[in-house]
Amino acid sequence: MDFTPDSGTITMFSTTWCGYCNRLKKQLDAKGIGYTEINIEEVDGTAELVEQLNGGNRTVPTVLFPDGTAATNPSAAEVEKRLVTV
């Protein structure tokens, strides 16, 4: 599956119990930044994808940008900045 987001949005790989994921979602909502959330415990193959993006670590939130790059546990400010430059 291709999880690359549309321009101006991100794909966020997360879990329901991740406090950092919940914080980032609240911050993105406050800034009006669109995202598609993918729970890596519910969608087959996504935990392995997150590990691949993070050098073998299953770390969330992992964010995928429209240009195909990724960031691990970014701040909302970083997400906003990278979306502007994409």
Side-chain angles (χ1 to χ4, degrees):
M1 293 184 78
D2 182 14
F3 294 101
T4 306
D6 293 333
S7 180
T9 68
I10 61 167
T11 300
M12 181 190 329
F13 297 98
S14 67
T15 62
T16 55
W17 48 265
C18 170
Y20 295 110
C21 300
N22 293 329
R23 180 186 68 195
L24 181 57
K25 287 188 290 186
K26 287 178 186 173
Q27 292 171 346
L28 294 174
D29 289 343
K31 289 181 173 285
I33 297 172
Y35 59 91
T36 299
E37 183 178 10
I38 307 291
N39 186 326
I40 66 169
E41 296 179 321
E42 296 175 355
V43 180
D44 289 339
T46 55
E48 293 79 9
L49 175 60
V50 166
E51 289 174 358
Q52 185 179 25
L53 292 170
N54 290 301
N57 297 310
R58 194 177 290 191
T59 307
V60 289
T62 295
V63 170
L64 188 61
F65 294 94
D67 65 359
T69 61
T72 305
N73 196 17
S75 67
E78 180 183 348
V79 170
E80 185 174 41
K81 180 180 176 186
R82 288 183 65 176
L83 283 175
V84 170
T85 60
V86 170

